[in-house]
């Protein structure tokens, strides 16, 4: 399971891999709005409950999360780190494996270019793995960037493991 963690729109990709191919089982997004929750902790708790359902329903055995770079907004950094901590607890509580990939590592694994743009990564995923629809980073129902990011994380991790096995 690849996860692009975010309080407002967490991208999820559930994939199954064998020695030759990676099969995408599900791509989805868990969207939340600040006003729908009493506090940030309950919002994170809700996201983790939704992730747990997906992990159980799909018999997930490994979770790969995008490791976050430190942003300039310290409140955002603290919120994301709190969320990553909650996901980490969930994963280990369920007895699953957990790994992290930096965005630059994902881009290097997929495109051999750590400085590639998100749109280029999405184009690679769309052309080679699964067509989730037009890449969009705009808020709303047609936003696909979080799903593409989660899928890229899952696919890049699969490539990393296969490369290490060679």
């Amino acid at each position: 399971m690849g996860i692009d963690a975010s309080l407002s729109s967490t991208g999820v990709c559930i994939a199954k891999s064998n020695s030759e191919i990676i099969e995408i089982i599900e791509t989805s997004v868990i969207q939340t709005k600040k006003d729908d929750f009493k506090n940030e902790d309950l919002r994170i708790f809700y996201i983790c409950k939704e992730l747990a359902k997906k992990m159980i329903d799909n018999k997930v055995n490994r979770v790969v999360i995008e490791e976050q770079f430190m942003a300039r907004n310290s409140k955002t950094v603290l919120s994301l780190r709190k969320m990553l901590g909650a996901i980490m607890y969930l994963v280990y509580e369920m007895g699953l494996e957990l790994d992290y990939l930096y965005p630059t590592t994902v881009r290097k694994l997929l495109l051999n270019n750590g400085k590639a743009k998100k749109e280029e990564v999405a184009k690679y995923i769309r052309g080679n793995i699964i067509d989730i629809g037009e890449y969009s980073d705009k808020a709303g129902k047609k936003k696909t960037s979080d799903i593409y990011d989660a899928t890229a994380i899952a696919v890049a991790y699969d490539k990393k493991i296969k490369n290490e096995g060679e």
Side-chain angles (χ1 to χ4, degrees):
M1 172 186 267
I3 298 175
D4 179 41
S6 163
L7 285 173
S8 62
S9 184
T10 294
V12 178
C13 174
I14 298 169
K16 183 178 180 182
S17 179
N18 66 35
S19 60
E20 294 180 24
I21 63 164
I22 185 166
E23 176 187 358
I24 305 302
I25 306 299
E26 174 189 330
T27 60
S28 59
V29 67
I30 301 167
Q31 292 183 318
T32 64
K33 293 180 183 168
K34 182 179 180 180
D35 294 343
D36 292 341
F37 297 88
K38 184 176 167 183
N39 58 48
E40 182 177 85
D41 291 349
L42 291 174
R43 194 173 178 189
I44 292 169
F45 180 69
Y46 171 82
I47 293 166
C48 286
K49 281 188 355 184
E50 293 301 306
L51 288 171
K53 286 180 202 172
K54 291 178 182 298
M55 290 172 190
I56 292 166
D57 290 348
N58 292 284
K59 298 181 176 109
V60 169
N61 59 19
R62 177 177 303 276
V63 174
V64 186
I65 304 174
E66 180 180 81
E67 181 63 272
Q68 303 291 327
F69 284 111
M70 296 301 156
R72 293 178 194 236
N73 183 340
S74 61
K75 186 176 182 331
T76 302
V77 170
L78 291 174
S79 295
L80 282 173
R81 296 313 289 178
K82 188 190 303 188
M83 186 169 167
L84 288 178
I87 294 170
M88 180 220 43
Y89 177 82
L90 169 67
V91 169
Y92 286 132
E93 183 66 19
M94 294 180 72
L96 308 177
E97 298 291 325
L98 177 64
D99 285 288
Y100 300 89
L101 287 178
Y102 282 104
T104 53
T105 304
V106 170
R107 295 188 294 259
K108 281 179 192 173
L109 286 163
L110 297 180
L111 301 171
N112 293 319
N113 179 359
K115 294 182 180 183
K117 296 184 182 334
K118 285 181 161 229
E119 293 85 355
E120 294 174 273
V121 174
K123 183 178 179 183
Y124 171 85
I125 295 296
R126 191 174 186 193
N128 296 287
I129 307 297
I130 186 172
D131 187 349
I132 299 163
E134 194 66 39
Y135 177 85
S136 172
D137 205 8
K138 305 274 191 259
K141 292 182 180 180
K142 295 196 176 191
K143 184 179 180 191
T144 58
S145 61
D146 304 306
I147 299 169
Y148 273 113
D149 289 349
T151 304
I153 292 164
V155 173
Y157 187 80
D158 184 61
K159 278 189 149 198
K160 178 182 181 231
I161 293 303
K162 287 176 180 167
N163 289 345
E164 290 172 357
E166 291 178 355

